[in-house]
Amino acid sequence: MNALARQLVRSWVGMGTRFLPFADAASPDLPLPRLLRLSLFQVSVGMALVLIVGTLNRVMIVELGVPASLVAVMIALPVLYAPFRALVGHRSDNHRSELGWRRVPYIWMGTLVQFGGLAIMPFALLVLAGRGAATDWPAWVGPLGAGVAFLLVGAGLHTVQTAGLALATDLSPPESHPRVVGLMYVSLLAGSIVGALAFGAMLADFTPGRLIQVIQAAAVTTLVLNTVSLWKQETRRPRRGAAIPDAPPFSKAWRAYVAMEGVRRRLVAIGLGTLAFGMQDVLLEPYGGQVLGMTVGATTTLTASLALGGLFGFSLASYVLSRGADPFRMAINGGLVGIAGFALVILSPALASVPVFALGVGLVGLGGGLFAHGTLTATMNHAPSGQAGLALGAWGAVQATTAGVALALGGLLADGVGALARRGVLGASFAGRDTGYLAVYGLEIALLVATIAMMSALARGPRTRVAA
């Protein structure tokens, strides 16, 4: 295992620290090779997310002929586990382990659950689609098996990410938190990009057998990456045989946490901001095609522009926050940039300008990166002593749940308002095909205004720092 770990990390570090974003996140107690190895759990999470939301979304609808409505339900199932992230974080804060570990058991169990979901998923999908020998199964077996597989993957990746981020918080000094957050996001994005390219290449010539190979290879890769990530990371505290204090029940710990000054307002602001930045995810490409007449290839680049904008936002936020800036004000700046981006997106049809639209998309990504980094850093910095898992779990629960709701809500609102506009219910002035899209973009601007107002109150509040 040591040889494998060294080989993986050597290839990652070999690019040179000057070419790696957030390489200065390392500290004497958490050197760069160890930090990069820890970040591998984010690579596995990014790989699983792009597999579920991207690759399997297309494969299930196009190659397997599964109804789009059923596909949407399957993809939404992992979100059901997101609200339990706060409970997972609390349990990892107070886990009783004979070996003295708190985070490692949860990362490992989450890995096994995610591995199990990926292992059964291809067979469940083939039964769902009625391919080959799968037609011998009753009709209800396919949806049930696929649903269980997606739920297991969702539960596993949410558990791994919550405990992994808490472990990164435990290992890094408070002054390094902004850069550690940035590095973890880069690893997540790297896993998504590499996973998307690899899955696309391997499934170019689709066969049921190839689908089984690809998804089970992802399962094995997840197991390897997460094992290397957690290997010899967490110190055994307390030592074996030492007395362990009684852990407070989750309900009591949760009430105490949300009773802290500013916590409720921060969680609501995180939810509003995530909703505002997430509703457009399923709308930008069809908006560019239907309203601005962009080609399929041109609209595909919008996703890359959004991702690059988010990456630049995380890089900028990491640089600024590491020099003592207020994370709440960083989140406010993200909201302001997002408003400017949505305004350009709304104006682009009137100007008949694709470059204006592309610039707006990039600014939306930039604002989302600034907002996410600011809120996550604020959560890490103000986590109660010994309760980093609970605090980060609460952030993850709100962020992931709201992101899932935003995807569904954006599509439903765009279709609903668009249908009313086409029927003339909203008047002749709003009968255009862009009305549904513009209604969602306008709502996102309003949500960002509300988010900025709440974050402004937090920024004006006392800046007392909670001990890590």
Side-chain angles (χ1 to χ4, degrees):
M1 178 57 64
N2 287 336
L4 177 61
R6 285 195 297 270
Q7 183 177 358
L8 287 173
V9 174
R10 191 180 300 114
S11 62
W12 189 217
V13 178
M15 290 183 290
T17 56
R18 60 177 180 159
F19 298 113
L20 288 176
F22 319 111
D24 55 350
S27 63
D29 294 332
L30 188 62
L32 184 60
R34 183 181 175 189
L35 181 59
L36 290 174
R37 182 163 60 83
L38 176 62
S39 71
L40 290 176
F41 79 86
Q42 284 284 72
V43 175
S44 72
V45 169
M47 180 182 65
L49 287 174
V50 78
L51 177 66
I52 293 174
V53 179
T55 305
L56 292 183
N57 182 16
R58 179 247 159 78
V59 167
M60 291 170 70
I61 294 175
V62 179
E63 277 78 14
L64 297 180
V66 179
S69 57
L70 185 56
V71 173
V73 172
M74 294 298 169
I75 293 176
L77 284 176
V79 179
L80 295 179
Y81 192 81
F84 296 99
R85 290 181 61 147
L87 176 60
V88 171
H90 169 72
R91 291 292 181 85
S92 72
D93 287 333
N94 302 281
H95 182 67
R96 294 171 176 264
S97 172
E98 189 66 21
L99 295 176
W101 287 328
R102 294 187 302 160
R103 315 295 186 188
V104 166
Y106 281 86
I107 299 175
W108 180 241
M109 291 304 299
T111 299
L112 292 182
V113 171
Q114 186 176 338
F115 175 85
L118 291 172
I120 66 174
M121 183 176 289
F123 304 104
L125 294 181
L126 293 178
V127 174
L128 178 66
R131 287 295 188 99
T135 55
D136 298 334
W137 291 88
W140 56 267
V141 173
L144 177 62
V148 170
F150 277 92
L151 273 176
L152 288 175
V153 173
L157 68 88
H158 284 302
T159 301
V160 167
Q161 191 174 50
T162 300
L165 289 175
L167 179 58
T169 303
D170 295 340
L171 297 177
S172 59
E175 61 271 16
S176 296
H177 285 171
R179 296 186 292 273
V180 171
V181 169
L183 177 61
M184 293 298 161
Y185 179 81
V186 169
S187 298
L188 181 69
L189 188 61
S192 301
I193 295 173
V194 173
L197 295 175
F199 296 142
M202 289 186 288
L203 290 173
D205 297 323
F206 178 83
T207 63
R210 180 61 62 86
L211 178 66
I212 294 173
Q213 292 173 345
V214 169
I215 298 181
Q216 292 198 332
V220 174
T221 302
T222 295
L223 189 64
V224 172
L225 288 176
N226 289 357
T227 302
V228 174
S229 173
L230 61 83
W231 187 258
K232 291 188 177 181
Q233 291 285 6
E234 187 175 20
T235 303
R236 293 170 56 184
R237 297 176 181 173
R239 292 290 181 180
R240 184 171 183 174
I244 303 176
D246 291 335
F250 172 72
S251 57
K252 181 179 179 180
W254 177 255
R255 287 194 298 268
Y257 177 63
V258 297
M260 294 175 58
E261 184 177 2
V263 169
R264 290 180 184 271
R265 186 186 295 271
R266 182 170 72 240
L267 292 177
V268 173
I270 291 170
L272 288 176
T274 304
L275 188 66
F277 281 110
M279 292 171 66
Q280 46 74 35
D281 280 351
V282 296
L283 301 180
L284 289 177
E285 290 197 35
Y287 179 77
Q290 292 183 357
V291 178
L292 293 173
M294 298 174 66
T295 64
V296 175
T299 57
T300 303
T301 61
L302 295 174
T303 303
S305 299
L306 193 68
L308 289 175
L311 178 59
F312 181 72
F314 260 80
S315 302
L316 179 61
S318 178
Y319 176 81
V320 175
L321 291 174
S322 65
R323 281 152 179 78
D326 185 352
F328 293 111
R329 297 196 181 278
M330 182 61 65
I332 291 172
N333 292 333
L336 293 173
V337 173
I339 290 175
F342 283 121
L344 291 178
V345 170
I346 291 174
L347 288 174
S348 59
L351 300 175
S353 175
V354 172
V356 171
F357 176 51
L359 176 60
V361 171
L363 289 178
V364 170
L366 172 62
L370 296 175
F371 177 81
H373 198 310
T375 56
L376 181 53
T377 302
T379 301
M380 293 175 72
N381 287 348
H382 296 277
S385 178
Q387 291 185 312
L390 175 63
L392 290 169
W395 177 88
V398 172
Q399 193 271 341
T401 304
T402 312
V405 172
L407 288 173
L409 190 59
L412 291 174
L413 286 177
D415 289 344
V417 175
L420 293 176
R422 288 190 296 271
R423 294 174 184 172
V425 176
L426 303 180
S429 300
F430 296 97
R433 57 185 177 182
D434 61 345
T435 300
Y437 297 108
L438 297 181
V440 175
Y441 298 146
L443 176 60
E444 289 179 299
I445 290 177
L447 289 173
L448 285 177
V449 171
T451 302
I452 290 171
M454 299 194 74
M455 283 292 177
S456 297
L458 290 169
R460 291 193 299 268
R463 296 270 60 86
T464 302
R465 188 188 188 95
V466 178

